[in-house]
Amino acid sequence: MKAYSINPKTKSIETQDFDGQVNSIYTFFNSILVDTSDILHEHIIYTNGNALSTTHTPYFIGQQLFLGESLILGQNGLEEVDVKIHENELEKLISYDINDFYKKALDSLALQDINLYKTFEVNDNDSRLLLNYEWVIYTFNMADVKTQNYFLIELDKIIDEQKSIEEHFQKMAQLAVNAGNI
């Protein structure tokens, strides 16, 4: 089936002939740890689950951060099919421009045993929200420079003191959610 691969190092999209076998996905990434995203309507995006710890090149598809090469397949329900999006439309959604805040946050997290897309819960008034590390970084990226610096300094402190990264990100997520409720 027709698939696309994105290579952020060369800033290119290539058409792939994908056989649809699970082992082919693992072979493509040379890893058994694979993340998935469904941010593109009727598509699934596969990425290397080890991309953060192996410092792969970051980029965005839409507003979502990805690391390293990705493989995009069409999706019809649970079935994988030929990609439906045109290559030129996909190109318009991709940005390789990563600012210093993102670079510093990712560099700090590179040696930590985390997955950017792992979810955790925070409170939003009387409901529970499922958020992830990537969302927290995205949200603090929109903050002013002073708040961004606070985030990065606190992150480095937590890492230096070998405290829980997940608890820190839950705390930061809760601060962001609370600020949105003011």
Side-chain angles (χ1 to χ4, degrees):
M1 79 187 70
K2 180 181 174 183
Y4 292 134
S5 65
I6 299 173
N7 184 331
K9 285 185 179 179
T10 60
K11 298 180 180 179
S12 64
I13 300 172
E14 295 180 16
T15 301
Q16 302 282 322
D17 184 24
F18 185 72
D19 65 11
Q21 301 298 310
V22 173
N23 62 333
S24 297
I25 293 172
Y26 301 137
T27 301
F28 180 85
F29 294 110
N30 198 24
S31 174
I32 59 170
L33 294 174
V34 176
D35 290 323
T36 61
S37 172
D38 60 359
I39 63 157
L40 287 177
H41 180 64
E42 297 183 329
H43 290 82
I44 187 161
I45 303 172
Y46 292 100
T47 55
N48 184 333
N50 292 320
L52 178 62
S53 62
T54 52
T55 61
H56 282 86
T57 304
Y59 59 100
F60 293 97
I61 299 176
Q63 299 296 315
Q64 186 167 338
L65 178 69
F66 288 89
L67 301 171
E69 287 187 86
S70 59
L71 182 67
I72 302 173
L73 297 167
Q75 193 170 35
N76 185 8
L78 297 176
E79 182 182 2
E80 293 174 345
V81 296
D82 288 342
V83 289
K84 300 174 184 183
I85 191 170
H86 293 285
E87 186 174 338
N88 60 348
E89 291 175 49
L90 180 58
E91 277 183 21
K92 291 176 187 175
L93 296 174
I94 298 172
S95 172
Y96 301 104
D97 186 26
I98 304 298
N99 67 30
D100 285 340
F101 173 77
Y102 266 99
K103 289 176 186 174
K104 289 175 184 175
L106 293 173
D107 285 347
S108 292
L109 292 171
L111 297 177
Q112 306 308 305
D113 186 24
I114 67 162
N115 180 311
L116 287 176
Y117 310 106
K118 179 184 177 202
T119 59
F120 48 81
E121 288 185 357
V122 296
N123 293 317
D124 183 19
N125 295 321
D126 294 331
S127 63
R128 308 282 286 158
L129 296 176
L130 281 178
L131 302 174
N132 62 33
Y133 294 90
E134 191 267 342
W135 181 88
V136 175
I137 296 168
Y138 171 82
T139 301
F140 276 85
N141 178 62
M142 293 186 293
D144 59 51
V145 173
K146 184 177 177 181
T147 303
Q148 287 178 354
N149 288 337
Y150 167 77
F151 176 87
L152 293 171
I153 289 167
E154 290 301 309
L155 176 59
D156 287 340
K157 277 186 200 176
I158 293 297
I159 291 169
D160 289 344
E161 295 171 3
Q162 298 180 342
K163 292 184 177 177
S164 170
I165 299 293
E166 183 171 355
E167 287 178 18
H168 174 69
F169 268 78
Q170 282 178 301
K171 176 185 168 186
M172 294 292 114
Q174 190 65 62
L175 289 173
V177 168
N178 291 349
N181 289 331
I182 295 176

